[in-house]
Amino acid sequence: MAAGEPARRVEELRKLIRRYDYHYYVLDDPLVSDSEYDRLYRELEELEGAHPELVTPDSPTQRVGGEVLEGFGQVTHSQPMLSLDNSYSEDELVEFDRRIARAAGQEGPFDYVTELKLDGLAVNLLYENGTLVQGATRGDGRTGEDVTANLRTLRSLPLRLQDEELDPPLPAILEVRGEVYITRSGLEAANAQRLTDGEPAFANPRNAAAGSIRLLDSSITAGRPLKIVLYQMLAGETALLSGFSRHSEVLSYLRKAGFPVNPLWKACRGIDQVIDFCREWAQRRAQLDYNIDGVVVKLDDLRLRERLGATSKAPRWAMAYKFAAEQARTQLIAIDLQVGRTGALTPTARLEPVFLAGSTVSNATLHNEDEIERKDIRVGDWVWIEKGGDIIPKVVAVDTKARKPDTEPYRMPENCPVCGSKAVRPPGEVVRRCTNASCPAQIKERIWHFTSRGAMDIEGAGPALVEQLVDNGLVHDVADLYSLKKDQLAALERMGNKSAENLLAQIEVSKSRGPARLLFALGVRYVGAIAAQLLAERYGNLIAMQDATKEEIEAIEGIGQVIAASMAAFLAEPRNRQLLERLEEAGVELGCAPAEKVEIPAEGPLAGKRFVLTGILSKFTRSEAERLIKERGGKVSGSVSSKTGGVIFGEQPGSKLDKAKKLGVRTIDEAEFLRMLDQK
DNA sequence: CGTCCTCGAGGTCA
DNA sequence: CTCGAGGACG
């Protein structure tokens, strides 16, 4: 055999196998028999075995990597993975359509693409030169987990894309998004196997898929019947999308490149056709072999999409239509009260367990006193529950016909169920609050909030541990966390030396989370993550902030009266000032010196001026324009007032331009805007 | 909110 | 080996 012979045969086999995979998994139209496929696959394996130097990571035989991971790496998404706005009725779809017409400044009918909304977990995939290099989960939308090794095991996912006859050709870097899921029949088969192996069955396909993708050992993932479909291509730096004008073209392109795309999408003209599609699949969804929880409606026109942009949470050009939630009927055993960190008493329903939409429900939220009264929910009632658009089960109605005669309307107690102090409900408010700031329940909740993810992020300090810390008198407030000793921790239940060390290390690193996180962690009422960030930016240092007046705080951009009053009241309290001092003594970073504080450039040609954008600019997108203005010290807002420094308008400006003219505000066209940017 | 996975604790047994 | 806590996911 000539030296180049095996290399050539290996390439040939891989090409064939990829082609057969494509026909089997993507086109759903096998070219060869299973036995023929297996024969080629084995031949490839044998050749690679004999010539290890020919093995490449994108070979079809290399789906299962050898090693077990220690943990997953973090991946920061190049563009955030947003969620979608939800709608639950046809009226809301019509409203969505109208909103688009308003924002676009043109009349419909618009072209939409409707896709089934598969119930799985979202992933982001990165291909370099046609080869899969990274796959990540959604995570919090900004950063997710690197689950590449597990995604590689999905047979329907190409490790290498096919680039012949592709127009436009594959870009060097391609980023796509899709959904990993398990079919109903796949779950059934897997569960049958698990039961014979003495393992518990998976409760539902979604959790089975999510769990499988987060296994550290990808050889186990390989045995799970995971599938994937792709539905989005990111513009990325390649500006590849300039080669496309429609989402429907993108879907066809993805399929040609070798990606599985759910075939049941449809191009719709006008919202009525969208509604027909939604109706049809609400009817027919039981016929599918996979779970869907709705329909995703997207504008087809990519340029129009870009013009509409996105809010911080969701794109404005898409909408998820959710099918009516399933309901179940069960008995209400009790109404328990939970005490939150502000003392708020929140009622929760304890239910006779009942299976609903993939899980067994035994608790449900009741929101507040008024909600219970409105629906006249009584202990002992038969109630209807459903899992709403989110996942949280709620009581939707009482089956009054089944009500027993001896039940009584629910009355919320006037005392805290934990400490017995008076719980009062100020007139005009919906919540009743425990008035005792030292209520153990409140203390626990405050500390738990302090340690939680968006706050000081102290891993290992969950509710169970906090409960023990407070009950054993080791911790009375958040500052006490920083004087905990290893021996004290190791003596607690379910804590050993190892856990104690880990926790202390986490507490140590939390000291340098910075002033914004710390301020949010303190849990001042109305001061959420955003307000805390603004305050930290303004003062740099929490000690410097202590002498701020309510008026001074209120002057901060983005902070209103309510937050300012709450913040000032907190700072005026001597106990809180002591708390800050104690935190500082413990070594917690209260922020940088005021001199170093980060500020929007006070210099710059646009300093201190506020601009409004309207219409389409030819040279930049909206967000680029915003960034350019901010870099030069200016600000961007959404609506025109007499204080606006200028209205920058492009093609097809909206009503904002009219308003600017009426108010005598300066109007700036794109050419002038460019000149402004240049004078630096 | 419920499910799944992972980890460490603490037990049993060799 | 079993248990429970904690974190991720929808």
Side-chain angles (χ1 to χ4, degrees):
Chain A
M1 206 186 265
E5 195 59 24
R8 213 169 312 143
R9 181 61 182 159
V10 161
E11 252 333 292
E12 194 174 60
L13 286 167
R14 286 179 188 162
K15 239 180 173 167
L16 271 176
I17 289 171
R18 279 186 196 121
R19 178 143 166 267
Y20 295 157
D21 278 343
Y22 178 65
H23 278 262
Y24 185 91
Y25 292 107
V26 179
L27 304 182
D28 199 17
D29 181 22
L31 278 186
V32 294
S33 67
D34 289 357
S35 57
E36 169 68 5
Y37 180 93
D38 289 344
R39 194 182 63 73
L40 294 173
Y41 191 89
R42 270 198 308 275
E43 188 188 341
L44 177 59
E45 274 185 328
E46 279 162 23
L47 263 179
E48 287 180 341
H51 302 275
E53 74 281 2
L54 296 180
V55 177
T56 56
D58 63 355
S59 168
T61 61
Q62 301 301 304
R63 290 193 171 271
V64 185
E67 61 207 291
V68 176
L69 301 177
E70 295 266 312
F72 299 114
Q74 294 262 308
V75 171
T76 302
H77 299 303
S78 64
Q79 290 172 45
M81 291 179 84
L82 303 174
S83 46
L84 294 179
D85 285 329
N86 291 322
S87 57
Y88 301 92
S89 67
E90 294 174 3
D91 287 350
E92 283 176 273
L93 286 176
V94 172
E95 176 52 34
F96 167 65
D97 185 53
R98 282 204 203 110
R99 227 168 24 237
I100 285 183
R102 255 200 314 274
Q106 68 191 72
E107 286 296 306
F110 295 97
D111 288 333
Y112 292 102
V113 169
T114 47
E115 298 165 27
L116 300 183
K117 191 172 189 310
L118 273 67
D119 198 9
L121 79 159
V123 291
N124 185 81
L125 305 171
L126 195 63
Y127 284 79
E128 272 174 29
N129 300 317
T131 304
L132 174 67
V133 293
Q134 187 186 72
T137 62
R138 200 188 97 94
D140 62 4
R142 221 176 51 81
T143 49
E145 286 178 318
D146 184 340
V147 290
T148 315
N150 288 336
L151 286 167
R152 285 176 62 92
T153 68
L154 307 208
R155 300 293 295 271
S156 54
L157 184 68
L159 297 178
R160 172 155 202 92
L161 299 174
Q162 85 86 25
D163 49 6
E164 281 162 37
E165 294 173 38
L166 267 187
D167 183 32
L170 278 179
I173 293 181
L174 176 64
E175 205 168 352
V176 291
R177 287 177 181 171
E179 193 86 359
V180 174
Y181 66 103
I182 290 185
T183 59
R184 289 202 274 257
S185 54
L187 184 80
E188 232 168 86
N191 276 345
Q193 184 61 49
R194 282 172 75 84
L195 290 177
T196 57
D197 293 348
E199 290 174 283
F202 291 118
N204 62 64
R206 225 222 74 240
N207 282 101
S212 302
I213 223 64
R214 301 196 63 259
L215 286 161
L216 293 174
D217 184 348
S218 63
S219 65
I220 306 180
T221 308
R224 303 274 169 90
L226 295 169
K227 298 186 98 179
I228 187 170
V229 286
L230 286 300
Y231 50 69
Q232 189 191 354
M233 176 160 71
L234 273 63
E237 318 226 335
T238 61
L240 171 69
L241 284 189
S242 58
F244 298 94
S245 57
R246 292 178 169 272
H247 176 62
S248 42
E249 292 168 5
V250 172
L251 288 178
S252 307
Y253 182 83
L254 286 174
R255 189 171 137 107
K256 278 198 204 110
F259 290 111
V261 171
N262 186 292
L264 298 171
W265 62 273
K266 191 172 174 242
C268 296
R269 172 130 266 238
I271 203 71
D272 290 342
Q273 288 187 12
V274 169
I275 290 172
D276 287 344
F277 184 90
C278 293
R279 273 188 204 159
E280 181 188 345
W281 285 105
Q283 290 290 320
R284 288 179 61 191
R285 65 165 158 156
Q287 299 168 13
L288 297 167
D289 189 29
Y290 44 86
N291 287 348
I292 58 173
D293 59 353
V295 169
V296 178
V297 183
K298 297 171 180 169
L299 260 185
D300 198 20
D301 185 328
L302 298 179
R303 257 164 270 283
L304 186 49
R305 276 194 193 183
E306 192 166 347
R307 256 174 64 198
L308 293 176
T311 66
S312 63
K313 286 190 189 130
R316 275 187 269 265
W317 42 263
M319 176 65 85
Y321 173 82
K322 296 283 196 105
F323 297 139
E326 244 181 279
Q327 297 193 344
R329 186 174 168 274
T330 188
Q331 210 164 10
L332 178 64
I333 304 165
I335 294 177
D336 282 357
L337 288 174
Q338 288 177 317
V339 184
R341 80 181 135 92
T342 57
L345 304 190
T346 310
T348 47
R350 305 291 168 211
L351 304 164
E352 196 54 54
V354 59
F355 194 78
L356 171 64
S359 67
T360 306
V361 173
S362 36
N363 300 299
T365 169
L366 289 168
H367 298 111
N368 58 52
E369 215 169 337
D370 287 3
E371 181 80 6
I372 299 176
E373 193 183 304
R374 198 172 322 125
K375 293 176 180 155
D376 189 20
I377 297 167
R378 306 180 183 191
V379 174
D381 273 346
W382 282 91
V383 293
W384 288 100
I385 58 170
E386 71 176 36
K387 282 200 227 169
D390 33 32
I391 338 284
I392 320 269
K394 54 182 182 181
V395 174
V396 286
V398 173
D399 183 351
T400 42
K401 278 192 227 120
R403 173 171 284 168
K404 295 199 206 83
D406 58 346
T407 58
E408 281 173 27
Y410 176 74
R411 285 200 43 209
M412 193 175 268
E414 308 210 336
N415 294 85
C416 170
V418 174
C419 69
S421 311
K422 264 260 167 285
V424 298
R425 180 177 165 184
E429 287 194 25
V430 282
V431 279
R432 186 176 289 277
R433 288 195 153 80
C434 164
T435 49
N436 173 15
S438 323
C439 169
Q442 283 191 50
I443 292 176
K444 286 172 193 168
E445 288 292 324
R446 278 201 296 269
I447 293 171
W448 157 234
H449 168 75
F450 186 85
T451 64
S452 67
R453 195 115 110 79
M456 298 304 265
D457 198 6
I458 302 176
E459 235 174 85
L465 182 79
V466 170
E467 168 118 28
Q468 284 197 70
L469 291 176
V470 175
D471 288 346
N472 289 327
L474 293 176
V475 169
H476 307 91
D477 60 40
V478 295
D480 289 339
L481 287 171
Y482 292 94
S483 43
L484 285 168
K485 300 277 175 293
K486 188 173 148 189
D487 304 352
Q488 295 175 317
L489 288 170
L492 297 173
E493 259 171 67
R494 300 230 125 252
M495 282 291 280
N497 268 322
K498 181 86 177 160
S499 304
E501 276 167 26
N502 288 347
L503 181 62
L504 286 176
Q506 283 290 315
I507 291 176
E508 190 58 34
V509 294
S510 79
K511 288 180 179 173
S512 47
R513 298 262 185 252
R517 297 268 292 255
L518 176 62
L519 184 52
F520 170 64
L522 289 173
V524 182
R525 232 178 133 194
Y526 304 116
V527 179
I530 298 187
Q533 178 71 43
L534 292 170
L535 285 157
E537 274 169 20
R538 167 70 175 79
Y539 291 100
N541 181 320
L542 297 197
I543 295 290
M545 190 170 79
Q546 282 194 64
D547 301 314
T549 63
K550 176 168 162 286
E551 288 68 28
E552 192 182 307
I553 297 173
E554 211 177 314
I556 301 173
E557 183 76 49
I559 306 252
Q561 296 173 19
V562 178
I563 296 176
S566 173
M567 194 63 235
F570 178 89
L571 293 170
E573 188 74 46
R575 277 215 314 212
N576 293 330
R577 300 171 77 101
Q578 278 164 23
L579 183 69
L580 285 177
E581 275 165 34
R582 285 174 50 220
L583 283 167
E584 188 176 35
E585 278 164 29
V588 179
E589 241 178 61
L590 300 193
C592 39
E596 298 169 36
K597 75 184 176 193
V598 238
E599 246 189 308
I600 310 160
E603 305 285 308
L606 310 184
K609 287 190 183 145
R610 183 187 306 281
F611 297 90
V612 173
L613 294 159
T614 180
I616 316 150
L617 299 171
S618 63
K619 298 241 174 0
F620 342 78
T621 65
R622 231 188 159 78
S623 51
E624 279 165 3
E626 283 182 19
R627 186 174 51 80
L628 290 165
I629 292 169
K630 282 179 189 156
E631 276 171 8
R632 287 161 179 76
K635 289 177 184 167
V636 178
S637 69
S639 58
V640 183
S641 74
S642 56
K643 287 182 197 157
T644 305
V647 171
I648 298 154
F649 63 96
E651 286 296 307
Q652 304 174 35
S655 61
K656 290 177 217 167
L657 184 63
D658 303 334
K659 189 164 178 195
K661 283 177 184 156
K662 208 163 26 176
L663 292 172
V665 169
R666 179 176 170 210
T667 59
I668 301 159
D669 65 13
E670 188 163 354
E672 197 177 348
F673 178 51
L674 282 169
R675 279 197 296 279
M676 278 167 50
L677 293 176
D678 279 339
Q679 42 170 283
K680 211 178 173 176

